[in-house]
Amino acid sequence: MDNTNLIRNIISNNNDNIAFLIGNGIHYQFKDCELPWDELLKKLWREYVDDRDALLGDMSLTEIYDIVEMSAIERHCEEEYKRLIEALKSPSSTEFKDTLGDPRKDLSRIVQNLAQKSSNTPFDNKKIDREILEKFQKTNQEWVHFCREWCRSNIDGYESLTDEQCVNELFSLLENSSKQQIFRNSLKREVAEMFPSKKIYKLAECISYIKGLNVPILTTNFDTYMSDSVGAKRFINNTEDQLYKFTDFYPWNVYYSNNKLNENILDNFGIWHINGMTDYPRSIRLGLSDYMGCVERARVMIQGNNLNEYFTGKRKSNWKGYNTWLHILFNKNLFIFGLALEQNEVFLRWLLIQRAKYSRLYNLNLNGWYIGKGIPEGKRYFLEFLGFEVVELSNYNELYQALK
């Protein structure tokens, strides 16, 4: 049976209370993104971990990314140590040589100490002669430039740091292995760069149709191809002081639209990114650790500090997520497509469970529709239990014919 008319009827009959939740499947359909989700992870795996794809079989996609990230952090650390050693070994200032003599001799302890990282020997900043280092910094601008460039790539607000603070930031990193997690940002910038800018988008007709309905879109995709396809611009939904504050790590109050929406985000077109976006690389959520961090952040917003899961009203303008995409998720019926919702989607699946609990607690009758093909019985039961009607397709063209 062709479901095209069924889908059209669902949308037209619920246009006043619907939001779309779209996943990576839209890229499989329109081929705008040349690097789908699983291929992106495979590429990172081959680059940072192992060239044997067969090892990926018994791991979830989120677990694969966490292993990639750990390997990438180690590699980036090693690269920074090598760059740092070369910077210390190569002073260009004649004044420095006149003041301290041979820099390779006077800075030998610094260089040797850093080089020991290759043999897993802990770095000890206390062994460095600070007087020598301070004189070295004053006369060797290449070294200072190196530290500032490193801070520019890795430290928020680096512009306000003095040269001395930039140097201290770098040495603080070398002393404290826990701070080396900062290199995870380098990997996420690399992920963001995998989505190049384009001029023509095959999905433009589909997104234009949804835009014409003047309803919100939530997406798990990182790229901005959907918003670019309809000329939407980026806005930050800052309203009142007590509401959610912008952070590029969790930009949950950022949306893309053709107009600033102010407070009325439920009944207007805007595209909201659940798992981060390429415009803010640090926000990209790929690993299980990322998802668990999102769960903890959202839990406090949704439930406060009440561990018994009694929810405060989400229709009120003074709840913490009022100016974020969470407000849409807890107040609109959801039309989900292009989203596999596998077990590794722990953050989104947890959110849908919280949404169903909230709906039942306050008798809100929050429902939705899940559109897919070859849906396993377990997933069907999970979705129907949470209030979703499952529409099984024989061909994805049935869906996309309805969205045009």
Side-chain angles (χ1 to χ4, degrees):
M1 182 183 72
D2 190 328
N3 290 289
T4 300
N5 287 331
L6 171 62
I7 293 170
R8 285 173 178 161
N9 289 334
I10 289 172
I11 295 172
S12 63
N13 293 337
N14 296 275
N15 192 34
D16 60 341
N17 189 30
I18 196 171
F20 288 79
L21 174 52
I22 305 174
N24 195 241
I26 198 169
H27 287 324
Y28 285 92
Q29 178 71 17
F30 293 106
K31 304 295 189 295
D32 278 313
C33 177
E34 298 177 357
L35 195 66
W37 173 246
D38 55 346
E39 288 300 319
L40 181 150
L41 287 176
K42 284 182 181 179
K43 182 175 181 179
L44 294 174
W45 175 269
R46 293 167 190 152
E47 180 179 353
Y48 288 104
V49 185
D50 201 291
D51 59 4
R52 294 172 292 173
D53 291 349
L55 297 177
L56 304 176
D58 294 323
M59 290 182 284
S60 69
L61 297 181
T62 51
E63 291 167 341
I64 290 169
Y65 180 78
D66 278 335
I67 292 175
V68 168
E69 184 178 80
M70 292 167 68
S71 300
I73 288 173
E74 292 178 359
R75 181 183 298 184
H76 286 308
C77 281
E78 185 63 30
E79 290 172 353
E80 292 297 342
Y81 291 134
K82 290 178 180 177
R83 289 180 60 220
L84 178 55
I85 290 170
E86 291 305 311
L88 286 168
K89 281 182 175 180
S90 306
S92 59
S93 171
T94 304
E95 180 183 353
F96 172 81
K97 295 178 181 179
D98 293 340
T99 304
L100 295 176
D102 184 358
R104 294 179 182 272
K105 179 179 179 181
D106 288 316
L107 293 170
S108 61
R109 276 179 292 170
I110 300 175
V111 174
Q112 290 171 5
N113 201 282
L114 288 169
Q116 286 175 349
K117 293 299 295 184
S118 301
S119 58
N120 297 319
T121 302
F123 178 84
D124 186 0
N125 194 17
K126 296 182 178 63
K127 292 182 180 179
I128 294 178
D129 189 320
R130 303 303 295 183
E131 183 179 356
I132 291 177
L133 182 59
E134 287 172 6
K135 291 181 179 179
F136 177 75
Q137 292 166 198
K138 291 178 181 178
T139 55
N140 185 359
Q141 290 305 305
E142 285 185 11
W143 161 243
V144 174
H145 177 72
F146 170 86
C147 293
R148 179 159 290 281
E149 283 299 299
W150 182 89
C151 287
R152 183 184 66 81
S153 299
N154 296 283
I155 303 294
D156 285 340
Y158 79 95
E159 301 93 339
S160 64
L161 298 178
T162 65
D163 288 345
E164 182 179 0
Q165 287 172 327
C166 287
V167 172
N168 289 336
E169 284 286 348
L170 182 55
F171 275 103
S172 176
L173 172 90
L174 299 177
E175 286 182 278
N176 188 343
S177 59
S178 67
K179 292 186 177 182
Q180 293 167 9
Q181 294 297 312
I182 199 170
F183 287 114
R184 70 203 303 264
N185 299 335
S186 299
L187 181 61
K188 292 191 174 181
R189 282 193 292 270
E190 183 177 340
V191 171
E193 291 170 358
M194 292 180 176
F195 299 91
S197 299
K198 301 178 66 176
K199 294 183 178 179
I200 299 174
Y201 301 89
K202 298 176 183 177
L203 51 71
E205 185 177 20
C206 176
I207 303 304
S208 294
Y209 170 82
I210 299 175
K211 177 188 172 185
L213 300 174
N214 204 29
V215 297
I217 292 177
L218 307 179
T219 181
T220 56
N221 297 340
F222 316 125
D223 61 87
T224 59
Y225 291 171
M226 287 193 289
S227 54
D228 292 339
S229 72
V230 293
K233 298 178 181 179
R234 186 177 72 241
F235 296 94
I236 298 176
N237 191 27
N238 283 326
T239 51
E240 299 179 19
D241 291 341
Q242 71 268 28
L243 299 182
Y244 189 84
K245 303 296 184 185
F246 169 79
T247 163
D248 76 302
F249 200 67
Y250 291 105
W252 291 358
N253 59 338
V254 171
Y255 64 93
Y256 296 79
S257 185
N258 297 95
N259 300 289
K260 189 172 179 60
L261 304 183
N262 296 318
E263 293 190 14
N264 190 16
I265 66 174
L266 294 180
D267 302 315
N268 281 293
F269 171 75
I271 300 175
W272 305 75
H273 292 258
I274 293 176
N275 288 336
M277 62 205 75
T278 54
D279 282 353
Y280 303 110
R282 294 204 316 158
S283 71
I284 293 175
R285 300 288 169 256
L286 281 152
L288 184 58
S289 300
D290 287 333
Y291 285 170
M292 297 312 293
C294 288
V295 167
E296 180 56 26
R297 191 175 190 85
R299 189 199 67 78
V300 174
M301 294 173 64
I302 295 167
Q303 301 172 1
N305 293 318
N306 194 326
L307 300 181
N308 293 321
E309 297 186 335
Y310 289 113
F311 301 78
T312 55
K314 300 296 182 291
R315 291 186 180 274
K316 298 177 181 178
S317 62
N318 61 349
W319 85 280
K320 188 69 173 178
Y322 178 73
N323 61 331
T324 73
W325 54 261
L326 284 169
H327 191 61
I328 299 170
L329 187 137
F330 277 93
N331 283 283
K332 302 288 276 188
N333 290 329
L334 298 178
F335 186 97
I336 304 175
F337 72 91
L339 188 63
L341 267 183
E342 302 291 354
Q343 290 93 331
N344 60 69
E345 285 274 9
V346 291
F347 178 42
L348 185 51
R349 287 169 72 110
W350 176 83
L351 281 172
L352 294 179
I353 292 172
Q354 304 309 303
R355 177 178 179 270
K357 290 180 178 180
Y358 169 69
S359 177
R360 294 180 183 186
L361 184 63
Y362 288 98
N363 297 316
L364 298 176
N365 197 31
L366 287 173
N367 297 309
W369 305 267
Y370 180 84
I371 317 299
K373 179 182 173 184
I375 303 168
E377 284 303 309
K379 184 187 293 184
R380 178 185 292 272
Y381 181 85
F382 171 77
L383 289 164
E384 289 178 345
F385 189 83
L386 298 184
F388 288 88
E389 177 185 340
V390 176
V391 179
E392 180 92 31
L393 302 175
S394 59
N395 189 302
Y396 281 109
N397 287 332
E398 297 174 355
L399 166 66
Y400 291 103
Q401 281 297 316
L403 301 176
K404 61 188 299 186

